[in-house]
Amino acid sequence: MAEPERRPATEQGEIMEKGWAEAEPVEEEVIDCDAHIREEIDDLIPYMEEGEEKRYAESEYFGYPSDGWDRSAGGRSGYASVEGPEDEREVMERFGLDTAVITPTRNLYHGLIGNRDVANELCRAYNRYLMDTWLDAGDLFKGTVLVPVQDPEVGAEEIDKYGQKDDVVGVFLNPVGPEKALGDQRYEPVYEAAERHDLTIGIHGAATTHSTFPLQTNYFHKFLEVHSISHPFQQMAQITSIICRGIPERFDLRFVSMEAGLGWVPYIYRLDKEFLARPNEAPDLDRLPSEIWAEDFWVVSQPMEETIPDGCIDAMAELAGGWDNLLFATDWPHWDFDAPSVVKKTMPRERWEQVYHENARAAFPGV
């Protein structure tokens, strides 16, 4: 049997494989609303307090939850890593990025850590590492405070500790593995602290095999299946909880849905239909869910579904709340990242400035 042709899975994959050869910068100012760093446990251990939790993390048996999936599409999509500010500066120069909102990689799985004390200390260590290594490295980088979904009180303490810093623009809330959905009252200390410091809530999931809320994926056999639905389903589940429990009605907050693309967003109109049929089950809502979405939520376009039929992008944007609600992100160095030059081909010319930078300043004041 002939060996199948090896080719990059996407145009972005070609860029990664060719080592920037196709990474043409764009002329507009570009704010990257999801720039992943590759923080390893060895980066965090020096920032942990001495004690049982640090000894736990230093053990050769400790590791962040891992699923074993091949995220390179069989080697077709290449691989890169951002291990420090110099790496990210190179990425920004090559892509023509002006500002990067830093987000984690290992800590995408933080919500799956079962030992609450260890999860809390790793969260504190990550935030110390972020402030010391990244936000003190120059004005190019902005940060989001990681909060442990295992312990919202500790999350509120972390927000209060760092929320007043100029380069902190948001709170990083992981929808994978919490004991209760994110609209539950146990998370109110996090929302209260974010409101106190006028910080945006970024909701960012992880494509991984797990058997906890909000998505049981351990019955799938291929990463194609897991990755296609995990991020969108996590956003649908958690944003349903946040809206129906009235969090946007009771707190003056902004929310950003990250790394789930646009294709799932019309689900919000199904939520309208359900709400109109049983408003008594969401007594805190004074607006339709779609109105709450349009006024209080933004959505990161990455991974941009450039496979949609020609002429449909305007309709997708309107269903996502309008062009004012769309943000750009590279998601670099992940395999399904979006290069500005690729996304540019998908959007109408008159929308470039909105999506590349104007909307980001509304969603993340301070960038």
Side-chain angles (χ1 to χ4, degrees):
M1 180 181 294
E3 185 174 330
E5 178 186 3
R6 181 185 181 279
R7 60 181 179 81
T10 62
E11 187 172 351
Q12 291 93 326
E14 292 180 2
I15 291 173
M16 188 178 285
E17 186 175 78
K18 292 177 181 179
W20 309 110
E22 304 297 327
E24 300 175 4
V26 297
E27 295 180 1
E28 290 74 27
E29 178 189 5
V30 182
I31 297 174
D32 185 351
C33 291
D34 187 18
H36 286 280
I37 61 176
R38 184 77 174 181
E39 78 284 6
E40 300 288 354
I41 188 63
D42 289 344
D43 296 316
L44 304 185
I45 285 174
Y47 292 92
M48 297 180 75
E49 297 287 350
E50 295 296 333
E52 183 65 24
E53 293 74 32
K54 185 174 183 179
R55 288 190 291 273
Y56 188 105
E58 289 175 325
S59 165
E60 63 180 299
Y61 301 106
F62 174 78
Y64 275 88
S66 178
D67 52 37
W69 289 116
D70 171 23
R71 286 163 168 77
S72 72
R76 292 164 57 206
S77 292
Y79 179 81
S81 184
V82 175
E83 298 179 1
E86 288 306 315
D87 287 352
E88 181 62 23
R89 288 193 186 98
E90 180 183 6
V91 173
M92 297 177 73
E93 181 178 353
R94 295 287 187 173
F95 283 135
L97 308 175
D98 296 276
T99 307
V101 179
I102 300 299
T103 52
T105 294
R106 291 295 183 197
N107 281 293
L108 293 175
Y109 309 97
H110 186 275
L112 298 174
I113 297 173
N115 186 316
R116 183 170 303 190
D117 293 334
V118 173
N120 287 342
E121 187 55 32
L122 282 171
C123 174
R124 296 185 186 102
Y126 171 80
N127 289 328
R128 294 173 188 133
Y129 163 76
L130 175 68
M131 305 301 156
D132 183 47
T133 304
W134 288 89
L135 300 195
D136 287 347
D139 294 335
L140 295 177
F141 310 132
K142 304 298 180 180
T144 54
V145 179
L146 177 67
V147 303
V149 292
Q150 298 90 335
D151 197 332
E153 293 286 351
V154 170
E157 292 171 4
E158 289 296 285
I159 295 169
D160 283 335
K161 185 183 300 181
Y162 300 110
Q164 78 286 355
K165 292 183 175 294
D166 291 339
D167 290 331
V168 170
V169 295
V171 171
F172 192 90
L173 196 54
N174 195 307
V176 180
E179 296 176 9
K180 297 287 186 180
L182 295 178
D184 191 84
Q185 63 183 10
R186 74 190 302 269
Y187 302 104
E188 291 189 0
V190 169
Y191 299 132
E192 289 169 354
E195 182 181 48
R196 263 196 307 276
H197 298 282
D198 193 28
L199 295 179
T200 301
I201 302 290
I203 304 170
H204 194 308
T208 184
T209 296
H210 52 85
S211 57
T212 57
F213 181 85
L215 178 64
Q216 288 72 45
T217 56
N218 54 355
Y219 44 68
F220 289 112
H221 300 290
K222 301 291 183 180
F223 192 59
L224 164 65
E225 301 165 300
V226 172
H227 195 263
S228 294
I229 65 171
S230 54
H231 281 281
F233 277 24
Q234 290 158 13
Q235 296 288 336
M236 290 166 69
Q238 299 290 18
I239 289 173
T240 295
S241 173
I242 288 170
I243 289 178
C244 289
R245 299 292 183 90
I247 300 301
E249 303 286 61
R250 289 184 286 115
F251 298 94
D252 184 12
L253 290 170
R254 299 172 299 274
F255 297 85
V256 173
S257 165
M258 308 174 80
E259 200 172 327
L262 306 179
W264 67 273
V265 179
Y267 157 79
I268 204 74
Y269 297 100
R270 177 182 177 86
L271 193 56
D272 277 358
K273 180 178 175 64
E274 294 292 328
F275 170 66
L276 289 171
R278 54 188 75 240
N280 57 300
E281 294 185 10
D284 290 325
L285 269 60
D286 294 323
R287 299 172 285 170
L288 287 172
S290 61
E291 293 173 338
I292 295 172
W293 169 270
E295 294 174 22
D296 298 328
F297 285 77
W298 285 259
V299 59
V300 173
S301 61
Q302 187 281 330
M304 174 68 83
E305 293 97 343
E306 65 266 24
T307 51
I308 65 171
D310 291 342
C312 290
I313 186 62
D314 273 308
M316 283 188 69
E318 289 307 314
L319 288 173
W323 283 99
D324 287 343
N325 288 59
L326 268 61
L327 308 177
F328 171 79
T330 64
D331 190 48
W332 182 272
H334 296 170
W335 67 274
D336 59 337
F337 77 98
D338 282 354
S341 55
V342 174
V343 174
K344 193 173 187 176
K345 299 174 186 177
T346 307
M347 295 187 297
R349 171 66 184 86
E350 64 270 19
R351 302 300 184 181
W352 291 353
E353 286 80 7
Q354 275 180 283
V355 176
Y356 280 141
H357 62 265
E358 290 176 1
N359 296 343
R361 292 203 164 91
F364 290 104
V367 298

